[in-house]
Every structure is written in C-alpha cells, then in structure tokens.
Amino acid sequence: MAKDVMRHLISIDDLSTSEIIGLLDRAEWHRVHATRTTLFQGRTAGLLFLQPSTRTRVGFHVAMSRLGGQAVEITKTKYQVGMDRAESLSDTICSISSYFDIIVARNSSSEELERVVTLSSVPIINGGSGNNHHPTQSLIDLFAIRRRTGKLEGLRIGLAGDLSRSRAANSLLRVLQRFPPEEIRIMSPPDGNPSRGLIKAFASDIINYCDRIKTDGLDVLYMAGFPLGGRMLSLSSASRANFRLTQQRAEQLPDHGVVLCPLPRIDEIDVNVDVSTKAGYFIQSSEGLYMRMALLEKYLENYKQESQ
Ligand code: CP
C-alpha cells in the first residue's frame, strides 16, 4: 500500500464538511439501530494512550467490540534501559503499527503526532493531542448539538473555562467555523482566551467576551473547565467561582438550552445541575460511542479499500 494515500485524522480540518455530515448521519444510524455486528471480525485497533483517558480510550475499545473487532490498550511505552525517559513515539509506531489495522493515539504533543503518522503502516486517529486537537471529541460535540437543537448553524454558543489550553474547546471552535453561529460567547479569564487566529475566522460582530459565566440566551453552553494543575491555567478559588455553573446560572439558560462538557468534570459544574433537563453532558458522553463506531468504520473501510 502506498503510504501517501493512507488517511489519518489528526485535526478536525482533515475532514471535509460533507465528510463531517456523513459521520454525524452514520453515528445517528448506529444510535437508532444499536448496532452490533461481526463486520470487523479479525481486525484489531491499537489504543495508544500516552496521557490519561477514560471516555476516549474505553469508548473506542467498546466501539471496536460492537463492530466485531478487538482492541489492545497501550498506556505506557517501554522505558529505555538506564535512562529516565520513555521510548520515543516514533520508535513505538515503527515497531508495532503493523500489528494493528488502525491506531487511536493520545499524546502530549500534536507536532510529534503529526510527524509519526508518516511512519505508521495503518491509519491513525487522534484521540487528543497537545492543547489544540481533539477531533473525535469535536465530532461528538457536533453530534450532541445537532441531536439537541436539530441544527448546527445559527446557534448562540457559549464556551466557558480555560479555552486557551482546552484541546476540546480549541477543536470545537475550529469546526464551528464551518457552521456559522449567531453568537460565540467566550467566557474565560484573559490568560485563558483562545488564540486570535482561531477567533478571527468568525465575523467579529458575533464574538462576545465575558470575564465570568453568563448564560442568558445561549442555545448551547460548553463547559471546557479549569482542571487543577497540569497543563491548565491555575486560578484562585474566587476566580474559579466566576466560571462555575451553579444551578441558578443553569436555570438562566433558555428552556431549550443545553449544557455540554467534554468531561471529566472537576468542579466547573455543580453536581446539582446534573438533574436539570438542561444537563446534556452525560448523554453527550454516552452517545459518543456511536460517533466512535462511525469513525472506526470510515477509517478501517478506507484502509481496506486502499490496501486491496
Ligand atoms: N472527553 C475526553 O477526552 O475524555 P477522556 O479524557 O476521559 O478521554
């Protein structure tokens, strides 16, 4: 198989708008039919997660099982003898990519992931990299938005949290450029604003900045969160409180408004919001399985056709 025809999914920009709509429709098909098939019997997905994950790792594992295939999870690479750093991602990919039919990978560096795809003998799907790319999460977000509102365009969408360091928020902003919203409300402290490059792709009169959470009028409230420590912005507890979704703030959303969140939650959404009809995050997460099935199908089918 010629390596230059193999398709990988590293950024949401790697998909055309018609491919995105096709994936949403296919995920909906899997949801409606609760698909369990033997289609990919004998095929194996390598789940190479070099950063922690629950939903993406387990979700792709179960999605592969529902399609009749199997998955192998790799959460650590071998440490080089006598050295204090892990084996390089490129050496790992060169060594084991041929064991698999597809790889889903999570890595701290998007640049490193982009470099190693050329070394892989099978398609790679990015399960989250750096601060900037989480394409499978964006597709799950679009699926949740369309399921709840019936559309993708002309919505009033608010994003709250450390948006500069949230790969989910950055990836969602990237894909929303294809589906022009009526409003994008950026709710983050100045250090947590998304990059100007991402924002300038939208018409300037639809962008509103807020230095605290403001829920009125939003169709979709996306809680990107302020995880403690790690690669995220650290905030005082007073500042964190400005961006926390309380029950009272959730009730200020319109009746049809929905709260989404890539999860995991730290403290950005009060647990008593969970019982609100506006809380859409656990449904969003559980229905993410159907999008992961649609993605595995697309990239495994593409690989099969190209390698024949
Ligand atoms: N949304 C998301 O990426 O969750 P995990 O980190 O648990 O995979």
Side-chain angles (χ1 to χ4, degrees):
M1 175 185 174
K3 285 191 178 175
D4 56 352
V5 297
M6 193 189 304
R7 286 196 69 188
H8 306 278
L9 176 60
I10 303 303
S11 161
I12 193 69
D13 294 339
D14 295 337
L15 290 166
S16 69
T17 303
S18 65
E19 286 179 308
I20 290 173
I21 300 295
L23 283 162
L24 294 173
D25 291 345
R26 188 63 184 165
E28 176 62 11
W29 194 92
H30 286 309
R31 187 188 72 79
V32 168
H33 293 88
T35 312
R36 287 175 195 267
T37 170
T38 55
L39 180 69
F40 292 132
Q41 199 165 30
R43 305 280 202 100
T44 308
L47 308 180
L48 179 57
F49 278 73
L50 302 180
Q51 287 189 308
S53 165
T54 299
R55 281 143 288 272
T56 314
R57 176 177 56 85
V58 177
F60 272 107
H61 196 141
V62 174
M64 194 63 183
S65 301
R66 293 269 179 107
L67 294 169
Q70 55 187 349
V72 173
E73 296 190 11
I74 310 121
T75 52
K76 275 186 188 151
T77 56
K78 183 178 169 63
Y79 273 66
Q80 290 166 320
V81 176
M83 298 175 79
D84 60 358
R85 62 191 174 90
E87 182 176 12
S88 71
L89 185 61
S90 54
D91 283 2
T92 305
I93 292 286
C94 284
S95 305
I96 63 171
S97 69
S98 64
Y99 296 177
F100 303 114
D101 298 287
I102 193 163
I103 290 173
V104 183
R106 174 169 292 189
N107 190 52
S108 58
S109 161
S110 295
E111 292 71 25
E112 187 179 27
L113 195 58
E114 275 162 33
R115 276 198 303 274
V116 302
V117 293
T118 56
L119 304 172
S120 176
S121 52
V122 296
I124 295 182
I125 292 177
N126 184 355
S129 64
N131 289 342
N132 44 352
H133 292 299
H134 201 345
T136 68
Q137 182 62 47
S138 305
L139 291 163
I140 289 166
D141 298 340
L142 291 182
F143 187 67
I145 290 171
R146 195 177 75 163
R147 285 262 296 133
R148 185 70 177 224
T149 69
K151 60 183 185 174
L152 295 171
E153 295 188 17
L155 293 165
R156 296 180 68 180
I157 301 178
L159 296 94
D162 181 0
L163 306 181
S164 63
R165 296 164 185 81
S166 163
R167 55 172 66 132
N170 281 314
S171 207
L172 180 59
L173 281 168
R174 201 179 291 278
V175 76
L176 285 176
Q177 296 165 13
R178 321 269 192 105
F179 307 103
E182 190 173 313
E183 179 185 355
I184 293 276
R185 197 176 299 169
I186 301 294
M187 295 170 279
S188 55
D191 280 359
N193 282 342
S195 72
R196 279 206 202 99
L198 263 184
I199 291 298
K200 78 173 183 209
F202 297 98
S204 57
D205 60 346
I206 70 156
I207 303 290
N208 288 316
Y209 287 94
C210 300
D211 63 359
R212 60 195 56 236
I213 198 162
K214 192 167 165 287
T215 55
D216 60 289
L218 290 177
D219 302 304
V220 177
L221 172 60
Y222 194 82
M223 296 297 297
F226 286 97
L228 299 161
R231 63 195 165 82
M232 307 297 275
L233 186 65
S234 62
L235 278 190
S236 67
S237 56
S239 298
R240 292 180 78 82
N242 286 335
F243 296 97
R244 184 171 298 138
L245 185 65
T246 59
Q247 198 169 24
Q248 189 187 16
R249 287 167 174 163
E251 288 316 315
Q252 285 162 3
L253 285 162
D255 288 345
H256 68 271
V258 63
V259 182
L260 300 180
C261 174
L263 300 170
R265 162 171 51 191
I266 309 298
D267 62 353
E268 66 273 24
I269 304 173
D270 281 359
V271 288
N272 52 18
V273 176
D274 296 356
V275 294
S276 165
T277 54
K278 292 164 187 171
Y281 30 94
F282 290 125
I283 298 169
Q284 169 193 13
S285 181
S286 85
E287 293 189 347
L289 179 65
Y290 307 118
M291 178 52 74
R292 294 186 180 107
M293 291 169 75
L295 279 161
L296 287 171
E297 261 181 336
K298 178 176 176 66
Y299 283 85
L300 277 164
E301 285 293 347
N302 184 57
Y303 172 51
K304 191 171 77 179
Q305 281 164 17
E306 296 294 351
S307 56
Q308 276 169 352

